[in-house]
Amino acid sequence: YNMSLSQSQKELLKWHYKLGHKGMQEIQALARINILPRHLSNTDIPICEACQYGKAHLRSKGNSPLIDPTKPIKPGDLIHVDQAISRTKGRCLLHSGKPTKAKWSVITIFKDHASKKIFGEFQQSHGADETITSKHRVEREANQCGVKITKYRADNGIFKSKAFQNDVDKLNQQLDFCGVDAHHQNGVAERAIRTIIELSLIHI
């Protein structure tokens, strides 16, 4: 904690951490109805360095827009996709059937640009076949909601494989990539991954 903070501010910050970086004003609202210590409701709100870091991002340097700015954005018009690989493998979640020794080490994140909906698909590897299977699961779920996915934006990696690009072409979709050293162009997906990882670390 910052030593210049008052005791009440430190306590407010502590609750902020315990509640998964919940908004300070929301915490103070809980204090006003006596769910949390009431004295927190009148405390000056401190700055959370982790939240400030999470909001930081690189600015685009005159790159072309993600989608046509003259057209209204609707769900499915653009899906940001990226992968995160964990060195520590996790057990597969099974609701029925025999236990498996297979373990997950990859999560592929799909985030819709318009609705902000996030799809997280766990995989045993970052190979093209599993990634395409994850893509199809997301598309089936979107179709159930009446949404047709028409475009993806990705970093290079497995998304630039011939198999993944062929699948995009087969479904009459579009796929574009970030420029060299311009991962911020796909910052929406990267930020979603960081949020999920940071939240998981809080609850370990």
Side-chain angles (χ1 to χ4, degrees), residues 22-111:
K22 192 175 186 67
M24 301 281 192
Q25 293 178 337
E26 294 179 73
I27 294 174
Q28 289 187 321
L30 294 175
R32 282 192 287 274
I33 57 177
N34 296 318
I35 293 178
L36 295 177
R38 192 170 182 81
H39 67 273
L40 297 178
S41 62
N42 296 318
T43 301
D44 290 336
I45 294 177
I47 293 175
C48 172
E49 293 183 1
C51 288
Q52 293 298 309
Y53 172 75
K55 292 176 182 177
H57 61 279
L58 290 172
R59 292 183 179 272
S60 175
K61 297 180 180 179
N63 295 297
S64 59
L66 299 179
I67 53 180
D68 188 345
T70 64
K71 296 181 179 179
I73 302 173
K74 63 181 185 300
D77 281 352
L78 177 62
I79 302 293
H80 299 267
V81 57
D82 201 1
Q83 287 183 329
I85 302 174
S86 173
R87 294 179 182 177
T88 304
K89 295 185 177 182
R91 283 194 284 178
C92 295
L93 176 65
L94 296 176
H95 297 287
S96 61
K98 295 182 179 180
T100 175
K101 293 183 179 180
K103 291 189 175 182
W104 283 322
S105 60
V106 176
I107 181 171
T108 302
I109 293 292
F110 299 81
K111 184 168 182 179

Side-chain angles (χ1 to χ4, degrees), residues 138-199:
V138 169
E139 289 165 350
R140 282 197 298 271
E141 185 172 340
N143 285 335
Q144 290 173 359
C145 299
V147 173
K148 180 177 175 58
I149 296 175
T150 59
K151 183 176 181 180
Y152 290 92
R153 163 157 289 210
D155 292 339
N156 296 325
I158 198 61
F159 307 107
K160 209 160 189 177
S161 68
K162 187 174 181 179
F164 192 89
Q165 294 190 67
N166 285 344
D167 189 79
V168 168
D169 292 339
K170 184 173 67 176
L171 297 175
N172 295 316
Q173 297 166 327
Q174 293 179 292
L175 173 65
D176 65 16
F177 300 97
C178 300
V180 178
D181 295 326
H183 296 287
H184 56 279
Q185 293 177 353
N186 199 32
V188 172
E190 293 187 1
R191 183 66 185 91
I193 285 176
R194 189 164 73 185
T195 298
I196 291 171
I197 291 174
E198 288 176 350
L199 285 174

